[in-house]
Each structure stands twice: as structure tokens, then as C-alpha cells.
Amino acid sequence: QVQLVESGGGLVQPGGSLRLSCAASGFTFSSYSMSWYRQAPGKERESVAFITSGGGSTNYAASVKGRFTISRDNAKNTMYLQMNSLKPEDTAVYYCKGRLWGTEYWGQGTQVTVSS
């Protein structure tokens, strides 16, 4: 059974931090590039961060550069998103995605709410 399971979401105040995790199973995690996406109310799903299969290269949406860090631990089949200096505009459902050539896998999403 292929699974990507996000965790770590919740309610935080502006300026706070969260670390999201994405646990993978049922496929060769170390062969897949990984991404975090998010979808805010009334908006389209957008790419937040990307990391190559070996973790050697990353990129970020301009809106999160300098605040978020994507990483992965292939030995644990887990990918992370460290989110610092959170803003209300970061409020969204965050999704984990794995990709290899024509194959994509998606997680179920985890809610992040940034509010005072």
C-alpha cells in the first residue's frame, strides 16, 4: 500500500514555528523527488518547496524563501518542512507529494492555521 502521511499541523500565532513531517511507505522513497504544496481557502493549490531524491538540491516559492526549510531523511523514509516566522497568509492545507517520471503520489493533507 502506497502511503504518504502528513503530520505536525495545527494552530500557531503569527511569528511562531511548526515542523511538518511526511512519512512514506509502499514505494522506493529514495528514488522520488519530493514537494510540499498548499491550498488556502478560495485559492488554487500552489507549490511551496521542492527537494531532489538525494536531498542535494532544493527550491522554494518566493513567498516562503528565508522562512521555510525542506529536508528529507531517506533512511527514515520521511520528508520535513520547517516553518518559521509564520504569517496569517501561510494558513492552508499542506500536502506532501512524491514524483518519479510519470508517477505521482499525494498525501491527505494537514491543516496549518496562523492566527492570533
Side-chain angles (χ1 to χ4, degrees):
Q1 208 93 280
V2 170
Q3 276 198 307
L4 291 171
V5 180
E6 299 95 334
S7 62
L11 174 64
V12 295
Q13 294 186 341
S17 296
L18 283 174
R19 189 175 77 158
L20 306 184
S21 298
C22 172
S25 60
F27 66 100
T28 305
F29 178 75
S30 61
S31 295
Y32 282 67
S33 65
M34 300 295 297
S35 298
W36 288 99
Y37 285 74
R38 68 186 182 187
Q39 187 166 23
K43 296 191 175 183
E44 294 294 309
R45 186 171 57 189
E46 64 173 341
S47 177
V48 175
F50 168 88
I51 188 165
T52 53
S53 59
S57 185
T58 60
N59 61 48
Y60 300 89
S63 58
V64 308
K65 278 184 179 177
R67 301 188 298 120
F68 291 9
T69 303
I70 189 172
S71 61
R72 66 192 296 161
D73 187 339
N74 284 347
K76 296 182 177 179
N77 288 348
T78 304
M79 188 259 288
Y80 306 95
L81 186 67
Q82 178 66 48
M83 308 164 67
N84 299 326
S85 302
L86 283 161
K87 305 175 179 180
E89 309 93 90
D90 297 318
T91 296
V93 177
Y94 283 71
Y95 297 91
C96 175
K97 185 189 82 173
R99 179 180 178 270
L100 177 62
W101 198 53
T103 303
E104 286 189 355
Y105 299 125
W106 289 85
Q108 82 291 345
T110 186
Q111 177 70 49
V112 172
T113 302
V114 185
S115 177
S116 58

